[in-house]
Amino acid sequence: MSAEPAPLPQELIRVKRDGARLAPREIGALVAGVASGALSDAQVGAFAMAAFLNGLDRDETVALTAAMTASGVRLDWPDVDGPVLDKHSTGGIGDAVSLLVAPAVAACGGVVPMIAGRGLGHTGGTLDKLDAIPGYVTGPNLDVFVRTVRSAGCAIVGQTAEIAPADRRLYAIRDVTATVESIPLITASILSKKLAAGLSSLVLDVKTGSGAFMATTKRAEALARSLVEVAAGAGLPAVALLTDMDEPLACVAGNALETRHAIEILAGRRSDARLMEVTLALGAEMLLLGGLAPDAASARSALEAAFASGAAAERFALMVAALGGPGDIVERPATHLAAAPIVRAVTPERDGVVSGVDARALGLAVVALGGGRTGADDAIDHAVGLAELAGVGEEVGAARPLATVHARDEADAERAAAAVRAAYRLAASGEPVRRPPLIQERIA
């Protein structure tokens, strides 16, 4: 008996375009074509748009996740000394949590093989931040990745060629086809990489607010539940936290700026309350899922001790050196990280208190400076961005700017300054301002 012929990809795209359901075999055929290159970029984009507009049900999402996981190798960690843990953020502005939480959890006994992503749309990407470190290889071969995890306890890298190659291609095409926000596609993208990494558990940071892809709490909660439920269906214990992205998480936005900011925090030379609060909350969930702490208070204390003692900084330095970066990055970040030639303060048009921020507009301002991509293959200027960003509730005026712009030239600086002013809403000085809770919900 002859084998059943493979379905034509254009017919499968038509099925989803018309709102019908795809069977697991049909989804598997599409994913195989994505991974092999048999599907053109136009066909992959068409499938992504059809899925975005008509959705994928839970079974289709599980099938897509499984097919993308199976498109490459699946790692195993039989002899590591500790639970294999990870976290993933859905993306935002000023979110350098990965650079802090991975080495801190490693210092507490976890093993963290973190497969991270690049910036999508208006958001920053962890790999773009690490690319700002000279010599750091965000795309190592599998042997180097595994060796770094074993020696440093953590490694933050992109997808190697062997891990979920179908997702790697689909991820890049989603970024430039306005299909980033699809809950099923996000779910399958995140979980396929995490399942391929051989995790024992996963913590998810799902952002909500103006700077998030899921701007409304309802959409963010739907994504969080999708991630937790599909992960559970795949045998991966997971917890999700809904966190606020109605303003930047840190006071900086931009690749080298955020990397240096994280290093200064690791070294104990700087603090950032909002960034650290999310870092500690996510890290505590990781330790709890991994059985490395008996309760949340103990987990948080262990992480705080890892930062205070320098153990987290030591793990970060080991990771950077093992992946090709300078051995003294923690001691001398300014020596190694690029700086923009133009730095300009952005003062508000009037004094007042910050009552709101369009975080997405700030992210787009960074992209316009050259710190993000408008095309899949665009080069990034790691030096540019925004620093000293004022937070909600802060008094601003001539003595306290809204931000400082780090730009390549004066024209870029002027455009960014105008974008920053437009992104901020001010109330009269002394007027009470409401700030939403930073951590809004826990979903398990």
Side-chain angles (χ1 to χ4, degrees):
M1 181 182 295
S2 61
E4 186 177 349
L8 292 173
Q10 58 266 40
E11 287 302 300
L12 299 181
I13 294 166
R14 180 188 58 78
V15 168
K16 183 47 60 181
R17 181 203 68 188
D18 293 344
R21 185 177 178 278
L22 290 168
R25 175 179 174 271
E26 294 171 324
I27 289 175
L30 282 171
V31 170
V34 173
S36 69
L39 266 68
S40 68
D41 284 358
Q43 289 175 314
V44 177
F47 169 69
M49 184 60 74
F52 177 87
L53 294 174
N54 292 316
L56 300 172
D57 67 21
R58 184 55 45 82
D59 289 342
E60 287 177 304
T61 306
V62 170
L64 180 61
T65 302
M68 292 202 301
T69 302
S71 69
V73 302
R74 186 164 182 168
L75 298 179
D76 190 21
W77 307 93
D79 56 351
V80 295
D81 187 18
V84 184
L85 314 172
D86 200 1
K87 63 69 70 171
H88 181 86
S89 168
T90 56
I93 314 302
D95 181 5
V97 168
S98 292
L99 277 60
L100 299 171
V101 78
V105 168
C108 293
V111 177
V112 188
M114 185 177 288
I115 298 174
R118 302 200 176 278
L120 280 173
H122 63 280
T123 67
T126 297
L127 297 184
D128 299 323
K129 298 175 187 25
L130 290 168
D131 276 339
I133 300 175
Y136 190 105
V137 178
T138 54
N141 64 44
L142 200 57
D143 289 342
V144 172
F145 174 42
V146 171
R147 187 164 63 246
T148 302
V149 171
R150 293 185 186 281
S151 63
C154 61
I156 308 174
V157 302
Q159 289 169 267
T160 69
E162 302 92 338
I163 292 176
D167 173 67
R168 185 174 186 169
R169 186 173 175 217
L170 180 57
Y171 187 98
I173 290 173
R174 284 169 54 218
D175 188 23
V176 295
T177 56
T179 55
V180 168
E181 298 93 338
S182 164
I183 287 177
L185 294 181
I186 294 171
T187 298
S189 176
I190 292 170
L191 294 181
S192 62
K193 293 189 287 282
K194 300 307 183 182
L195 288 164
L199 304 181
S200 58
S201 60
L202 174 65
V203 175
L204 297 144
D205 178 9
V206 180
K207 305 291 189 186
T208 181
S210 65
F213 287 116
M214 300 298 151
T216 67
T217 301
K218 182 178 180 180
R219 288 273 294 165
E221 185 175 348
L223 174 58
R225 293 196 183 282
S226 174
L227 286 163
V228 169
E229 290 170 9
V230 173
L236 179 64
V239 169
L241 298 183
L242 263 61
T243 65
D244 176 62
M245 189 44 69
D246 258 332
E247 61 181 295
L249 182 56
C251 61
V252 296
N255 297 299
L257 290 168
E258 289 184 56
T259 300
R260 181 172 179 178
H261 189 63
I263 291 170
E264 297 291 349
I265 291 171
L266 284 165
R269 296 188 292 261
R270 188 163 185 175
S271 62
D272 190 316
R274 279 174 59 83
L275 179 59
M276 281 304 297
E277 180 57 32
V278 172
T279 297
L280 293 172
L282 294 168
E285 294 287 354
M286 292 170 71
L287 296 185
L288 288 170
L289 281 175
L292 294 172
D295 53 57
S298 299
R300 188 181 180 102
S301 294
L303 292 163
E304 289 172 338
F307 284 109
S309 68
E314 181 181 0
R315 295 285 182 162
F316 182 84
L318 288 170
M319 176 186 75
V320 170
L323 289 169
D328 60 347
I329 189 67
V330 172
E331 293 79 14
R332 300 195 302 159
T335 302
H336 301 291
L337 298 173
I342 307 297
V343 179
R344 293 286 180 267
V346 183
T347 55
E349 294 176 350
R350 61 182 177 86
D351 292 356
V353 60
V354 177
S355 60
V357 184
D358 184 346
R360 184 175 187 274
L362 294 179
L364 290 173
V366 174
V367 173
L369 283 166
R373 296 177 184 83
T374 55
D377 299 321
D378 286 356
I380 280 183
D381 186 341
H382 295 101
V384 301
L386 306 172
E388 300 174 51
L389 289 161
V392 173
E394 279 195 70
E395 296 276 350
V396 293
R400 175 37 170 131
L402 297 170
T404 56
V405 172
H406 293 241
R408 188 56 55 185
D409 56 45
E410 292 285 359
D412 283 350
E414 285 299 320
R415 283 190 291 269
V420 168
R421 290 190 185 97
Y424 275 86
R425 300 188 301 277
L426 302 184
S429 294
E431 185 174 320
V433 172
R434 178 185 174 275
R435 199 177 204 180
L438 185 51
I439 299 169
Q440 299 183 3
E441 189 176 352
R442 180 181 187 271
I443 295 173

